Amino acid sequence: MKIRKYIPLLALASMLLGACNDDFLNEKDTNSYNPEEVWNDIKLVDAYIAYLYRDTFESWPVNSGNLADESGGLYDQSYITPSSKHMKPWNYEEIYKINLLFQEIEKGTLSDSQKKYVKGQAYFLRAWNYFRMVVHYGGVPIIKKPQTTKDDLNVTRNSTKECFDFIVSDLDEAIASLPDKSEGDNYGRISKSIALAFKGRVLLYKASPQFNPSNPYDNEYWDEAYTANKNAKETLEALGYGLLDNYNDIFLTENHKEAILPVIFTNPGRTNGRKEHSVRPITESKNGTGGDQPIWRLVNAYPMKDGKQPGESMTYAFDEQRFWENRDPRFYSTIVYNGAIYELSGKSGRRQYTDIELGTTEDGFGKTQGYYRTGFYSKKGIQVSLPQAEVSLNEVDWLEIRFAEVLMNYAEAANEKGLQGEALEILKKIRKRAGVEEGPDGMYGLKNGMGKDEIREALLHERYIEFTFEGKRFWDLRRHRRLNTLNGIMKFGLEAKLNGEVDVDKAKVYGYLPEDFTYKVSRLIEKDIQTEGGGIQKLTMYMPDTYYFFPISLDDLDKNPNLKQNKDWGGDFDPTL
């Protein structure tokens, strides 16, 4: 059962935040609520916190795979520039609201325990917002109080190290203030468990090659990354968190032991977090499609069911014309291929066709109506039972942190510490849960005797498969400084062509099987094309070294002349540690 304590309070929170200005405490009445009494009433404070949650946490990261080698989008030189709007989070509005809470809650009459709980959540939310900016830009201005027009608003950037220290300090405050778990009516609220897991993620980034290019895998920060992630793993396990037995259940069930930080969706109230209307094939959707369509590179990355890569298995031969056979079970939980059973809208026995004859130009491979069709669709997080007219009513919770990430973060840090045995045990545990065959050597398809470099590659590849379309691939490659593996690549799909003439009666009952087609790997874009905005869509991906830190927006630089631009974008600020 879904518990949705926050939703009814959001309208009130929005109203209250509308009064958050320099005269907030001097207002005698705000739409029948006295702002002076807000911080005396736990229900109103809860409403305020609920609104901060909505400001801070995003929904499913649909189309994030376009930036990497998961889905079909291609980006050229015009995508990220100082004047473009892409990759430019500047979360100071949210930070202002959080700082306002810290200032005003002390003037209220809530009990000490209530204040401690509220402030613990706020510390986490502030850390989250700062981390998001630091990952994009490196160091940013640290602001600890709500600024007013009386303050000097032309602040300077703090160093990246100072920002990481500040984020960790806020997380430590949250860890010390919050209950171990959030259950029952509080499910979805920040807890000590969530803060511990997130601290592990933060320190993994701090130690990463992204922030330490001159000493990527042997710097001093790996010690604290290992300690934090080991502590998170062991503490969460002791509290009952763990991997679900069935990978397929992660997003098909809710409020389970793998859900660390859920962003909750419910109908009625808050729906369409998965943006299912843009992920389903158009014949079973509305108002557009094209999101999260797997490319051939991703499909081909899934191991065989013995854990060996396609073409390397001695047990399961790989044939491009029967590519769907004998794959890692996570393949079938995620990838919809031509002729696969995909019972959308409650249609029993329905198969998804992506050739032009049976799938038509709406669902079939190629380019039509401005959309690319890769020959594949994603089923992760899709509520297949929803009818076409109601696809935007999906209520699948988004798991911003799940226990598999805690394990994988720990394994990465352990490997860089030289503890290859610990890292391998995590890899085997992840593959065992996935349903990969153990094999006679008990290695689940992994190579025996791997060293640090090989395990690092195995972990990065495992994350590619485990977290497909969960918004991690681009950021994983970026923090490892592997964007060069994307720069210049072409993206391919798989074109299906029915063998013989279409039997209309057979097609009506979804009688054609995957083996009734011939397959051809084909480019999604065959030549440079002009976009609707007048630009040129290039044939290949553009991912230069300057993307390891993005430029601060020219709009923000114009507002504050004391901000320095990053050194790779015309400034002299060094965002590395």
Side-chain angles (χ1 to χ4, degrees):
M1 177 180 177
K2 292 194 174 188
I3 305 297
R4 300 295 186 264
K5 185 172 182 178
Y6 297 156
I7 299 301
L9 299 175
L10 290 175
L12 171 59
S14 179
M15 178 210 73
L16 291 172
L17 285 170
C20 289
N21 54 39
D22 293 349
D23 298 321
F24 177 76
L25 293 181
N26 295 323
E27 288 285 346
K28 298 301 183 185
D29 183 68
T30 304
N31 293 347
S32 80
Y33 286 92
N34 186 343
E36 294 181 355
E37 298 300 316
V38 169
W39 306 103
N40 302 332
D41 188 331
I42 188 60
K43 291 183 179 179
L44 300 186
V45 174
D46 272 350
Y48 193 95
I49 281 283
Y51 198 84
L52 294 178
Y53 275 60
R54 287 287 290 263
D55 271 0
T56 299
F57 298 121
E58 299 178 354
S59 58
W60 279 76
V62 175
N63 282 332
S64 67
N66 291 354
L67 279 168
D69 47 0
E70 290 179 311
S71 51
L74 286 168
Y75 293 97
D76 59 26
Q77 290 94 325
S78 66
Y79 184 67
I80 297 174
T81 67
S83 59
S84 72
K85 300 300 182 183
H86 303 293
M87 301 298 188
K88 302 292 193 308
W90 201 243
N91 297 14
Y92 285 100
E93 182 178 347
E94 290 78 14
I95 289 166
Y96 168 83
K97 297 169 187 174
I98 294 166
N99 286 339
L100 185 70
L101 180 150
F102 283 126
Q103 174 181 284
E104 300 302 329
I105 197 170
E106 296 302 335
K107 302 174 184 177
T109 59
L110 299 185
S111 68
D112 288 345
S113 62
Q114 288 173 325
K115 288 179 181 179
K116 181 180 179 182
Y117 185 35
V118 170
K119 287 164 62 179
Q121 295 171 79
Y123 279 119
F124 180 94
L125 295 172
R126 189 166 67 178
W128 186 277
N129 279 287
Y130 268 104
F131 178 69
R132 186 162 183 253
M133 291 192 290
V134 169
V135 166
H136 280 74
Y137 310 116
V140 293
I142 296 174
I143 300 173
K144 301 180 181 180
K145 68 174 186 176
Q147 291 178 305
T148 71
T149 54
K150 298 175 183 179
D151 295 312
D152 181 4
L153 303 180
N154 292 329
V155 293
T156 59
R157 295 176 71 172
N158 288 80
S159 72
T160 301
K161 184 181 185 304
E162 288 171 333
C163 287
F164 270 116
D165 289 346
F166 180 62
I167 291 165
V168 170
S169 175
D170 268 4
L171 288 175
D172 286 341
E173 291 281 0
I175 290 165
S177 303
L178 295 170
D180 289 344
K181 296 179 73 172
S182 293
E183 301 175 295
D185 286 353
N186 286 326
Y187 177 68
R189 287 200 188 219
I190 304 304
S191 65
K192 175 182 176 181
S193 297
I194 294 170
L196 286 169
F198 182 55
K199 182 179 177 181
R201 182 194 286 183
V202 167
L203 291 175
L204 193 72
Y205 269 84
K206 182 182 177 183
S208 73
Q210 178 190 355
F211 290 94
N212 302 275
S214 63
N215 191 13
Y217 294 116
D218 193 28
N219 61 69
E220 60 184 307
Y221 304 122
W222 284 108
D223 287 339
E224 59 183 354
Y226 173 76
T227 299
N229 282 289
K230 186 174 189 288
N231 184 33
K233 171 187 174 292
E234 292 176 349
T235 302
L236 268 63
E237 285 176 333
L239 291 170
Y241 290 102
L243 296 176
L244 287 180
D245 294 336
N246 189 337
Y247 180 84
N248 207 43
D249 289 341
I250 295 170
F251 293 107
L252 295 181
T253 60
E254 296 178 332
N255 200 355
H256 50 64
K257 65 180 181 177
E258 192 159 342
I260 308 300
L261 175 50
V263 179
I264 297 171
F265 291 87
T266 184
N267 180 28
R270 187 184 185 191
T271 60
N272 207 24
R274 183 64 180 103
K275 298 180 179 64
E276 190 168 321
H277 67 285
S278 67
V279 177
R280 284 190 180 203
I282 193 64
T283 55
E284 296 296 334
S285 186
K286 63 177 183 178
N287 302 330
T289 188
D292 288 356
Q293 290 191 25
I295 59 173
W296 178 247
R297 181 164 165 150
L298 170 63
V299 171
N300 209 34
Y302 279 85
M304 309 304 286
K305 66 180 182 180
D306 63 355
K308 301 293 185 182
Q309 288 304 119
E312 297 178 4
S313 172
M314 301 299 292
T315 306
Y316 302 106
F318 177 74
D319 181 353
E320 192 174 278
Q321 296 303 313
R322 303 181 74 89
F323 65 91
W324 61 90
E325 293 182 336
N326 301 313
R327 304 300 291 271
D328 179 325
R330 289 172 291 189
F331 175 93
Y332 307 103
S333 297
T334 307
I335 306 295
V336 180
Y337 53 92
N338 179 65
I341 293 287
Y342 194 26
E343 297 179 323
L344 291 171
S345 306
K347 295 179 180 179
S348 179
R350 180 188 179 277
R351 292 182 182 272
Q352 180 64 52
Y353 297 115
T354 64
D355 78 315
I356 295 299
E357 288 188 281
L358 294 182
T360 74
T361 57
E362 289 187 311
D363 291 354
F365 175 90
K367 183 178 185 297
T368 180
Q369 300 175 359
Y371 294 99
Y372 296 103
R373 310 284 192 269
T374 67
F376 301 98
Y377 292 94
S378 170
K379 66 168 64 172
K380 184 176 277 190
I382 299 296
Q383 285 184 258
V384 295
S385 61
L386 285 175
Q388 183 176 4
E390 298 177 9
V391 291
S392 61
L393 298 180
N394 69 79
E395 55 177 355
V396 179
D397 289 350
W398 162 238
L399 301 185
E400 175 59 49
I401 303 177
R402 59 183 177 93
F403 191 72
E405 183 196 344
V406 175
L407 291 179
M408 295 291 278
N409 291 350
Y410 162 66
E412 276 197 41
N415 183 56
E416 301 308 333
K417 284 276 293 175
L419 302 171
Q420 278 69 56
E422 292 181 27
L424 271 174
E425 285 306 307
I426 297 299
L427 273 170
K428 289 193 287 185
K429 183 178 291 188
I430 293 289
R431 288 195 163 199
K432 179 180 180 180
R433 186 278 291 278
V436 173
E437 294 173 351
E438 182 177 3
D441 60 358
M443 292 295 291
Y444 297 91
L446 296 164
K447 179 183 172 183
N448 268 302
M450 288 191 291
K452 180 188 288 190
D453 292 347
E454 291 174 302
I455 291 178
R456 184 185 304 129
E457 295 299 324
L459 285 165
L460 194 56
H461 189 85
E462 200 69 25
R463 290 178 70 99
Y464 187 24
I465 301 307
E466 176 72 19
F467 301 122
T468 298
F469 298 124
E470 294 180 43
K472 291 190 170 20
R473 177 61 172 173
F474 170 75
W475 304 101
D476 283 346
L477 292 173
R478 186 171 177 262
R479 67 183 170 84
H480 277 278
R481 288 190 173 257
R482 301 291 182 84
L483 292 184
N484 62 296
T485 63
L486 300 177
N487 193 41
I489 69 167
M490 297 179 182
K491 291 192 174 182
F492 294 82
L494 193 68
E495 187 175 1
K497 184 174 178 57
L498 182 66
N499 299 324
E501 298 293 325
V502 174
D503 181 329
V504 176
D505 292 333
K506 187 174 182 179
K508 286 180 179 178
V509 295
Y510 307 112
Y512 286 104
L513 304 179
E515 55 265 34
D516 295 327
F517 301 78
T518 298
Y519 298 94
K520 177 186 176 184
V521 178
S522 299
R523 290 182 192 169
L524 298 180
I525 301 177
E526 290 291 346
K527 61 181 179 180
D528 292 352
I529 59 173
Q530 187 166 344
T531 64
E532 291 181 2
I536 299 297
Q537 175 67 68
K538 292 292 186 180
L539 184 66
T540 60
M541 286 285 281
Y542 180 72
M543 287 285 153
D545 286 347
T546 55
Y547 279 16
Y548 292 117
F549 292 98
F550 298 128
I552 291 178
S553 171
L554 287 181
D555 289 344
D556 293 307
L557 293 175
D558 289 342
K559 293 173 185 175
N560 180 359
N562 288 338
L563 286 179
K564 292 182 178 181
Q565 183 61 279
N566 281 331
K567 64 178 185 177
D568 289 332
W569 295 94
D572 56 7
F573 186 90
D574 185 351
T576 64
L577 290 167

